[in-house]
Amino acid sequence: MSSFAPRSFWIKSHAVRPYYAFDVHASRGEVLELLGCWDQAAAIYAEMLARARQCGDELRTAQGQSKLGWIYHRTEKQAQAVQLLQQAVDYYRRKGGRIVLAQTLSKIGTIHEAQGDYDQALACFEQGLALARQENDRYTVSLVLNNLGNVYGDMGRNQQAMDCYRQCRDMDLAAGDEYNAGIDTGNMGWLHLVAGEYDRAMDCWAQQERGARKYGDKLTLSIALGNRVCVYMTRGQYQQARAAVDERLALAREMGDRKGLAISLSHLANVQRFTGETGPALGSYVQAVGLARELGLKYYLTIFLQEQADLQLETGDTAGALRSCGEAKELAQGLGKSDSIFSCRLLEARAAACSDPAAAAGRLGDLLALAAGPDQRAEVHYRLFKITGDPSHREQAKALYAEADARTPDVSYRQKLDELNAA
């Protein structure tokens, strides 16, 4: 029986084996990548790149560079990733191809975002978006807009982020692209969480999880599980949180997803901390911090260090808490994360209370002017009451925690209210 082999699938070689099915192998790699088999995908992409170079096929070489560069990003080989992706960008700028250029710029932008280089990330995404819109390519416009929304979210520009995600979702749904619409919806869930709209956030992640399981997308499934942990923790649903954490840990280890592993270890530490496993929690924070530092994940490292510092202070390791907090504050200042800077200054004031309560009360008083929203003001009044015993701070903290809990129900608010009511 004869078979049909379209010419576009093959590249010609002068070697003993004259043809190599480049596009077929590319599709194999994409399926393996979706399933989380990143090492196998990387091996295929490396072979594709080597064959393309051997044949002197510049276009296929650029395609191989882009695919292998992206899988290197997935496996946290960032320097190699950027080098390959930039080589592909250089080719597309010389030879044309605005859609693939936009997609490759978006990949480089995502690496910059993960490392906290937001200005460079924005520049890549804005160039890519302009190119994709010139070609009126719905898929690439949606891809780049989604990534642009991620950067805006990291920068605290939540309305701009939501606008990006909604545009993506609407155009993907209109095109019948259920898979990418689920990813868009999942990203919207994070903004609902920040706004305290927990039910809407969980609905978004449930849609994202269903799509990920349907299409076998292990990375998206891992992200959806991690996001749901945040809501479980605020509701005090520690058993559900632990189940989601354990599943994500297994997925991250299976895929070699070290970023996902770092995030999951942080979530594990939080669950352990609030279920009384203090020693294991400290160990999990140490692992999460170490991985985030090794991978250059500044945004996440800032958060992990804050969490670690808080537990260190609670367990009497004031010096360790101040070291962790100092590093977190320096990172937060570089990233422009005002919420993290506030939290670090609050922890420093709490640490000062161990030796100089009067000085600590003064610092906390200064922080009141900087507090954004009732939850931050409540925390300052709560700490002032703990240090000074002044009943006016207790009453203000109670009123503010009640207000915050009414807007955004959180088990930690209710615990503080119970403590203050019993004082």
Side-chain angles (χ1 to χ4, degrees):
M1 179 183 294
S2 63
S3 60
F4 174 63
R7 181 183 297 271
S8 63
F9 277 14
W10 304 84
I11 57 176
K12 194 170 184 179
S13 168
H14 298 295
V16 174
R17 184 179 179 184
Y19 291 100
Y20 178 74
F22 186 96
D23 293 343
V24 174
H25 289 293
S27 296
R28 287 180 60 222
E30 289 165 2
V31 172
L32 288 166
E33 192 174 345
L34 183 72
L35 296 173
C37 303
W38 291 349
D39 289 341
Q40 294 177 56
I44 289 173
Y45 294 153
E47 174 72 7
M48 287 165 50
L49 179 55
R51 292 279 190 154
R53 283 172 169 162
Q54 178 188 19
C55 298
D57 188 323
E58 287 190 287
L59 173 60
R60 278 352 192 313
T61 295
Q63 292 171 347
Q65 288 165 335
S66 181
K67 288 188 175 297
L68 185 57
W70 187 243
I71 208 74
Y72 278 161
H73 163 65
R74 293 281 197 219
T75 54
E76 303 300 339
K77 299 174 183 175
Q78 304 299 2
Q80 295 157 278
V82 171
Q83 182 181 29
L84 286 171
L85 291 166
Q86 189 58 56
Q87 288 170 359
V89 163
D90 293 342
Y91 170 80
Y92 293 128
R93 287 197 193 281
R94 289 197 322 271
K95 298 292 186 177
R98 286 186 288 199
I99 292 174
V100 286
L101 176 56
Q103 293 170 357
T104 311
L105 283 168
S106 186
K107 291 175 179 179
I108 295 175
T110 298
I111 295 174
H112 287 312
E113 181 212 347
Q115 297 173 332
D117 300 325
Y118 296 141
D119 289 342
Q120 293 185 68
L122 286 172
C124 288
F125 294 142
E126 287 164 358
Q127 289 179 57
L129 186 59
L131 290 164
R133 282 178 166 156
Q134 287 172 21
E135 293 296 310
N136 195 29
D137 185 85
R138 187 273 313 171
Y139 172 81
T140 305
V141 169
S142 175
L143 170 76
V144 182
L145 263 179
N146 225 318
N147 289 332
L148 188 59
N150 292 341
V151 178
Y152 286 146
D154 283 358
M155 298 174 73
R157 293 159 63 173
N158 293 342
Q159 187 55 57
Q160 288 172 281
M162 183 63 86
D163 290 344
C164 288
Y165 295 147
R166 282 179 175 149
Q167 288 181 64
C168 295
R169 181 202 58 190
D170 292 348
M171 70 175 69
D172 289 338
L173 285 175
D177 187 346
E178 179 185 82
Y179 171 73
N180 280 300
I183 293 175
D184 307 332
T185 302
N187 285 338
M188 291 169 65
W190 185 252
L191 297 175
H192 288 307
L193 175 70
V194 172
E197 299 164 349
Y198 293 163
D199 289 340
R200 295 182 71 181
M202 291 295 268
D203 286 344
C204 288
W205 296 327
Q207 291 182 52
Q208 185 181 38
E209 181 180 343
R210 283 195 297 272
R213 291 190 189 277
K214 176 178 179 180
Y215 293 104
D217 183 350
K218 293 184 179 179
L219 180 61
T220 298
L221 172 59
S222 174
I223 291 169
L225 289 167
N227 288 341
R228 294 178 75 170
V229 171
C230 299
V231 174
Y232 289 139
M233 292 298 295
T234 61
R235 290 175 169 171
Q237 297 172 314
Y238 302 128
Q239 186 174 352
Q240 293 95 321
R242 182 59 185 262
V245 168
D246 287 344
E247 185 174 359
R248 190 179 191 192
L249 280 168
L251 285 167
R253 288 174 173 137
E254 177 187 341
M255 292 185 291
D257 177 13
R258 300 177 74 204
K259 174 182 175 181
L261 180 59
I263 295 169
S264 297
L265 285 167
S266 167
H267 288 162
L268 176 61
N270 289 332
V271 175
Q272 290 168 329
R273 174 183 176 185
F274 290 104
T275 54
E277 301 176 76
T278 301
L282 284 168
S284 296
Y285 280 136
V286 168
Q287 292 181 68
V289 165
L291 263 177
R293 184 178 288 117
E294 179 185 342
L295 300 175
L297 304 174
K298 296 178 186 177
Y299 176 87
Y300 290 104
L301 179 57
T302 303
I303 297 169
F304 300 165
L305 284 165
Q306 284 177 240
E307 294 170 339
Q308 178 177 261
D310 199 59
L311 184 55
Q312 286 172 318
L313 187 60
E314 285 185 5
T315 56
D317 182 9
T318 304
L322 287 172
R323 283 194 300 272
S324 299
C325 183
E327 185 179 354
K329 186 166 73 170
E330 183 177 351
L331 286 164
Q333 289 167 338
L335 295 171
K337 280 182 59 62
S338 57
D339 56 338
S340 293
I341 295 169
F342 180 89
S343 296
C344 289
R345 291 187 62 184
L346 182 64
L347 188 139
E348 288 171 340
R350 290 166 54 200
C354 299
S355 56
D356 191 343
R363 289 191 185 190
L364 289 169
D366 293 339
L367 276 179
L368 271 178
L370 303 174
D375 49 346
Q376 287 190 356
R377 294 198 300 276
E379 183 69 10
V380 176
H381 282 297
Y382 169 77
R383 295 298 171 185
L384 279 166
F385 171 66
K386 298 278 284 185
I387 291 171
T388 67
D390 185 337
S392 67
H393 289 302
R394 179 185 61 205
E395 294 309 310
Q396 290 184 77
K398 284 169 58 178
L400 288 164
Y401 275 131
E403 178 186 346
D405 190 57
R407 185 189 72 251
T408 310
D410 190 313
V411 67
S412 67
Y413 296 154
R414 293 190 290 278
Q415 289 170 344
K416 295 281 178 58
L417 281 167
D418 290 343
E419 180 185 343
L420 292 165
N421 284 324

